[in-house]
Amino acid sequence: MNGRIRAIARKEFRHILRDPGSLGALLGLPLFLLLMFGYAVSLDVDEVPLEVRDLDRTPESRALAEAFFAGGRFVPADPGPGGGESALETGRAAAVLEIPPGFARALGRGEASPVRVAVDGSDGTRAQTVAGYIDGLCLRYGGDLRALEAERAGPADGGPPGAVLDIRPRVLFNQELRSVVFLVPGLVALILVITAVVSTALAVVREKENGSMEQILVSPVGALELILGKTLPYAAVGAVSAAVVLGAAALLFGVEVAGGVGALAWTTGLFLLASLALGVLISTMADTQQVAFLISTMLTLIPTFTLSGFVFPVRNMPAVIRWVTRLFPTTYYLEILKAIVIKGAPFRYYAGPAAALALYAAAAIAAASVRFSRERSRSR
Amino acid sequence: MSGSGDGPAILAEGLVKRFGVFTAVDGVSFEVPPGRIFGLLGANGAGKSTAIRMLCGLLAPDGGRARVAGIDVARDPEGVKSRIGYMSQKFSLYGDLTPRENAEFFSSLYDAGGGGRGDPIARAFERTGLSGGAGRPEGVLTRDLSAGYRQRLALACAILHRPRVLFLDEPTAGVDPVARRRFWDLIYGFAEEGAAVLVTTHYLDEAEYCSEVTLMRDGRIVAAGKPGDLKRACFPGIVLEIECGSTGPALEALRREPWVEEAAVFGSRIHAALAPGFGSDRVSSLLAASGAGEAKIRETDPTLEDAFLKIVSSTGAASLGGAGSGPTGGGAR
Ligand SMILES: Nc1ncnc2c1ncn2[C@@H]1O[C@H](COP(=O)(O)OP(=O)(O)OP(=O)(O)O)[C@@H](O)[C@H]1O
Ligand SMILES: [Mg+2]
């Protein structure tokens, strides 16, 4: 690294270290979020009042309902007026299982049999756990059925494979339920977005605002030196902060990175590259920190929260919005993170999003350098 | 450094800058030889800072040419950058760094640390009177220092790489008179060593120290020359300072006379510029007749402020009538 880049980076670190607020936000907030969410979801729940609405009334539907009460996790809800979701509203039941008419018939044909499950989400902790139990139970029940099916069809023609039970747990009232495992990749992405995009954009615009940018631009510093010097410190802070969250998640909640750390590192580097370039690009569009903050949160933070699967799963979104999520690099990075951190999947499972991210990074860097050099030589 | 040779250190030829439909600098030309202090004056929005930005290579001109230190700014902006020192109008060092950290930062941008003899920061601090040790603890952040100290620090940061051309945009704004005086001593020092200094200011008493001044108005130059020449051109007759009982009637009486070219109130006194050939006796008899009371009259030197007020009030926007044809216009084209 040459002397100028080092000088700019050193100065940037000084700014960061001397502003306890920003350092606290960059390192403390993610950790706080992790602890809060992490401890909130690690409680167990028993004797959940469950209302079964069996609209099919067949041996198969009754078998499914019995499977729910067998383990002792669920107890039948007190009978009362109003079935279905109104049972959740009155608080009689914490969950409702609805078996639609035609359930057994569909099973018999080997088709997917939709079962509706509604969970009271007003108590997030409890709802999280309950949804988990239901998921597990249905999987087990579906497994048994599948075995039965195979026997009946005989080994000759094999029969249609795949999921026989199509279960769609639906969470009411409080949709941002995520377990700590799912939370970790989202937090990592969030940290990097804040440091790499928002902080970078603010740091560059701050120099414009207080006039020091002009003082730098009359010196013989090159555009690339300036960009690198300004952005590398935030990349470092973001990487450290992400590592701290990953470490804390492993230590406190046993959420280990399932895949390779090397894969995690290089994909994160790719994401950082795209984000830093995006930050610089935003800085060329704004003359004040307020505007820079507005643009960068609109373009990155809010999409990260709402659109890229951090809070709401992308597959549950309408097609248009699902398409919109493709515009933000965080979407790709989250897919990669989930594959590496949670599933430990090999490269071919996240090659697509990784390629998209690389493309995105290249485009963002090109756009940022064009705009930055133009701004440097033209007005202001 | 190179480029100072015989030619001007700063050369502006018909510089034009437009922001949209608005023309901020409209055909400005001047030159500054090495070793001179050139004062660029004018009201807010006259286009001074814009002109400086073009000369520094921060802003591409829409017309005209700029040569600084013998280098064409448009052709080799990087070459110019390493030879100039620029202090922007707005204080733009980092308040959350110490003076030394600020200087270290700018020093590294210019690679001023390597190659040269000695420590450039120590030299610049000494040069600007910042190293006088007494009670300047290392750890103090720049934002906690006095305005006068900060201005000198900004100057120190602008001269770390020993530039031969200095652009100082309102370097003394918001600084007390003693600190201003000190700052000007520094500017003199640089000029004596052969640097060309272009300085803008709203303090016309300071402008008197310049080797040459140029007055801008609405993006154009309306007067230029040595301060003494400018004043003589504006006031070919004598200028009187009048102290009398009631200023109002006296001023009215003076302004009615065609041989009084200019009459203005300065504090409790009136300054009156007379046409050539008229003397103080005419004034005393006029004032006696107007009933302005006992008048004390003495001849005074006109100030640059007198001259500029006259220029600004007598010229419409365009040319500088009388003064332009006089002995002014020396340095400017
Ligand atoms: N980047 C810009 N975009 C649009 N207009 C600008 C820009 N920079 C300057 N101007 C306008 O150009 C005119 C000249 O501005 P400039 O800053 O050069 O004046 P100045 O003589 O330095 O004034 P001051 O004494 O207030 O510093 C002003 O009207 C200003 O509003
Ligand atoms: Mg200005």
Side-chain angles (χ1 to χ4, degrees):
Chain A
M1 216 201 289
N2 80 20
R4 286 174 186 159
I5 299 177
R6 215 172 323 127
I8 298 171
R10 192 186 310 128
K11 173 189 80 78
E12 210 56 43
F13 271 123
R14 285 190 170 131
H15 291 320
I16 296 171
L17 292 175
R18 284 182 196 166
D19 181 6
S22 75
L23 193 67
L26 293 180
L27 286 175
L29 190 68
L31 214 55
F32 172 75
L33 283 176
L34 178 74
L35 293 180
M36 219 179 63
F37 282 88
Y39 279 117
V41 296
S42 59
L43 301 166
D44 262 330
V45 183
D46 262 330
E47 303 201 334
V48 181
L50 171 78
E51 171 148 308
V52 177
R53 302 190 64 209
D54 186 354
L55 305 178
D56 196 37
R57 296 175 193 282
T58 54
E60 283 88 346
S61 66
R62 272 193 292 280
L64 178 64
E66 269 158 29
F68 270 82
F69 297 118
R73 294 270 199 216
F74 293 95
V75 294
D78 295 332
E85 279 158 19
S86 71
L88 297 184
E89 271 157 33
T90 56
R92 269 196 306 115
V96 175
L97 171 72
E98 188 181 289
I99 307 172
F103 171 76
R105 231 180 313 124
L107 270 187
R109 283 199 302 270
E111 284 167 11
S113 316
V115 172
R116 285 185 65 212
V117 177
V119 179
D120 177 359
S122 56
D123 179 349
T125 318
R126 193 179 157 98
Q128 184 61 48
T129 322
V130 170
Y133 293 158
I134 295 176
D135 246 347
L137 268 169
C138 290
L139 271 179
R140 228 174 305 146
Y141 186 71
D144 286 343
L145 274 179
R146 216 171 287 131
L148 204 75
E149 200 70 17
E151 231 168 66
R152 227 191 283 160
D157 56 335
V164 178
L165 270 181
D166 178 9
I167 294 159
R168 296 177 182 158
R170 198 155 65 90
V171 179
L172 295 178
F173 307 143
N174 169 17
Q175 310 200 303
E176 48 267 52
L177 298 168
R178 314 292 295 168
S179 80
V180 68
V181 181
F182 292 107
L183 184 78
V184 169
L187 264 182
V188 169
L190 192 68
I191 293 162
L192 293 180
V193 157
I194 293 176
T195 49
V197 184
V198 183
S199 298
T200 301
L202 286 181
V204 176
V205 173
R206 194 180 307 131
E207 302 245 15
K208 280 209 256 185
E209 219 175 39
N210 76 4
S212 47
M213 186 55 96
E214 216 174 65
Q215 212 67 58
I216 293 174
L217 292 182
V218 286
S219 79
V221 171
L224 188 65
E225 291 171 324
L226 180 53
I227 290 182
L228 286 178
K230 289 292 289 184
T231 54
L232 288 180
Y234 291 99
V237 171
V240 166
S241 179
V244 166
V245 163
L246 283 174
L251 233 88
L252 301 175
F253 305 111
V255 182
E256 308 257 356
V257 177
V261 174
L264 187 65
W266 77 257
T267 48
T268 299
L270 208 56
F271 177 65
L272 273 177
L273 221 55
S275 305
L276 293 173
L278 199 60
V280 174
L281 190 64
I282 290 169
S283 79
T284 65
M285 301 190 260
D287 277 330
T288 65
Q289 289 189 69
Q290 278 103 316
V291 175
F293 185 77
L294 208 72
I295 301 180
S296 55
T297 43
M298 296 268 285
L299 240 50
T300 60
L301 213 54
I302 291 172
T304 302
F305 254 118
T306 56
L307 295 181
S308 52
F310 177 54
V311 172
F312 314 112
V314 173
R315 71 184 138 79
N316 288 2
M317 296 177 193
V320 180
I321 298 193
R322 224 159 46 216
W323 192 84
V324 170
T325 64
R326 300 275 123 201
L327 296 176
F328 304 103
T330 324
T331 310
Y332 305 107
Y333 183 55
L334 266 174
E335 280 170 18
I336 298 172
L337 273 181
K338 281 175 183 163
I340 295 177
V341 175
I342 300 174
K343 300 176 192 153
F347 176 64
R348 63 193 153 88
Y349 286 98
Y350 56 87
L357 205 53
L359 216 66
Y360 199 99
I365 290 170
S369 36
V370 164
R371 279 211 46 123
F372 191 82
S373 334
R374 188 180 307 158
E375 183 181 36
R376 203 167 80 101
S377 61
R378 284 282 151 69
S379 67
R380 192 123 272 253
Chain B
M1 282 194 188
S2 72
S4 48
D6 299 323
I10 305 170
L11 176 68
E13 286 184 328
L15 284 178
V16 175
K17 183 70 205 179
R18 293 187 201 93
F19 296 110
V21 292
F22 171 71
T23 306
V25 173
D26 192 0
V28 164
S29 304
F30 57 80
E31 55 180 79
V32 186
R36 298 290 177 77
I37 303 171
F38 182 86
L40 197 53
L41 314 174
N44 295 129
K48 308 179 294 292
S49 300
T50 306
I52 291 182
R53 286 211 183 96
M54 287 190 279
L55 289 166
C56 291
L58 286 167
L59 211 55
D62 295 314
R65 210 163 63 102
R67 278 179 84 82
V68 172
I71 301 170
D72 191 314
V73 180
R75 211 163 295 153
D76 182 13
E78 304 309 308
V80 169
K81 283 175 183 176
S82 59
R83 287 171 173 80
I84 61 169
Y86 170 58
M87 211 179 131
S88 60
Q89 177 169 356
K90 196 171 166 191
F91 177 78
S92 51
L93 300 184
Y94 302 100
D96 57 343
L97 301 186
T98 65
R100 191 166 183 91
E101 286 164 349
N102 266 301
E104 276 168 2
F105 172 66
F106 286 105
S107 177
S108 332
L109 294 191
Y110 286 94
D111 294 327
R117 314 112 278 179
D119 176 9
I121 296 174
R123 190 187 55 80
F125 275 24
E126 179 153 1
R127 200 69 189 67
T128 51
L130 296 180
S131 53
R136 282 290 174 212
E138 267 294 290
V140 177
L141 297 184
T142 302
R143 62 166 170 252
D144 299 327
L145 296 165
S146 74
Y149 189 96
R150 286 200 305 241
Q151 302 291 73
R152 274 180 291 144
L153 177 61
L155 181 63
C157 289
I159 59 160
L160 286 162
H161 55 297
R162 296 166 166 270
R164 303 296 293 156
V165 181
L166 271 177
F167 294 94
L168 310 177
D169 197 352
E170 293 192 33
T172 55
V175 172
D176 70 65
V178 177
R180 282 209 278 144
R181 188 64 242 202
R182 257 178 101 178
F183 199 93
W184 271 91
D185 288 341
L186 299 174
I187 296 179
Y188 270 133
F190 294 121
E192 265 161 32
E193 288 165 18
V197 184
L198 189 159
V199 61
T200 73
T201 180
H202 287 295
Y203 301 109
L204 286 169
D205 56 328
E206 286 182 358
E208 307 261 5
Y209 309 148
C210 296
S211 344
E212 201 166 295
V213 292
T214 278
L215 177 65
M216 282 183 73
R217 182 185 163 141
D218 297 333
R220 300 212 179 119
I221 293 179
V222 291
K226 292 184 170 56
D229 293 347
L230 266 182
K231 287 185 283 191
R232 270 192 295 282
C234 283
F235 305 106
I238 58 170
V239 176
L240 298 178
E241 188 178 79
I242 301 157
E243 229 181 325
C244 59
S246 43
T247 334
L251 197 63
E252 266 178 43
L254 284 166
R255 282 182 173 160
R256 267 196 299 272
E257 296 302 321
W259 46 270
V260 176
E261 297 201 325
E262 188 79 13
V265 178
F266 272 73
S268 62
R269 305 187 173 111
I270 296 174
H271 280 198
L274 310 188
F278 293 87
S280 60
D281 42 343
R282 283 291 291 270
V283 174
S284 50
S285 52
L286 172 74
L287 289 182
S290 73
E294 188 80 356
K296 261 198 279 180
I297 302 172
R298 63 182 190 84
E299 204 169 311
T300 181
D301 285 332
T303 62
L304 254 189
E305 192 158 349
D306 293 324
F308 282 161
L309 286 176
K310 185 174 176 204
I311 291 165
V312 168
S313 63
S314 65
T315 57
S319 71
L320 172 69
S325 56
T328 47
R333 293 192 333 155

